[in-house]
Amino acid sequence: MLDITADLFDDDALIIENNQAHKVSLCNQEGEPYLTVSFDALLFGLWSPAKKNAPFVCIEPWYGRCDRETFTGDISEREWGIALAAGESFYAEYTITV
């Protein structure tokens, strides 16, 4: 459980990596889910516009991500990249339950 506070996302999105979860729910005060996102991604982001007091939170399964600020390597060395050979395809899905 993570309390969503007005300043939780002031420094940026929360990025949860390494296959830690495949389901994220928003819950009411009693801890009962009212919205659930289920996915097969190895990482996901939680965010809301920084310092805007926005009335929403985004739950995004990620199948890749931007570089870390300290990354100096070649694009082929990026974390969480998905590389496909010619003719291959990539399939992913997520489900939103209300």
Side-chain angles (χ1 to χ4, degrees), residues 24 46 56 67 73-74 76 79 88 91 96:
V24 177
L46 297 174
F56 63 89
D67 296 329
D74 180 76
S76 65
E79 293 179 293
E88 289 186 324
Y91 175 80
I96 299 173

Side-chain angles (χ1 to χ4, degrees), residues 19-72:
N19 213 20
Q20 292 186 53
H22 292 282
K23 183 189 306 186
V24 177
S25 297
L26 298 179
C27 300
N28 62 21
Q29 294 290 339
E30 291 76 38
E32 301 162 335
Y34 61 86
L35 181 135
T36 299
V37 180
S38 302
F39 48 87
D40 58 356
L42 298 179
L43 60 159
F44 63 95
L46 297 174
W47 66 275
S48 189
K51 301 177 184 177
K52 300 285 187 192
N53 198 23
F56 63 89
V57 173
C58 295
I59 304 170
E60 293 183 359
W62 288 356
Y63 298 92
R65 57 161 283 194
C66 61
D67 296 329
R68 295 181 189 276
E69 286 185 273
T70 57
F71 180 75
T72 58

Side-chain angles (χ1 to χ4, degrees), residues 5-13 47-54 56:
T5 60
D7 62 345
L8 180 62
F9 304 106
D10 280 358
D11 291 328
D12 209 346
W47 66 275
S48 189
K51 301 177 184 177
K52 300 285 187 192
N53 198 23
F56 63 89

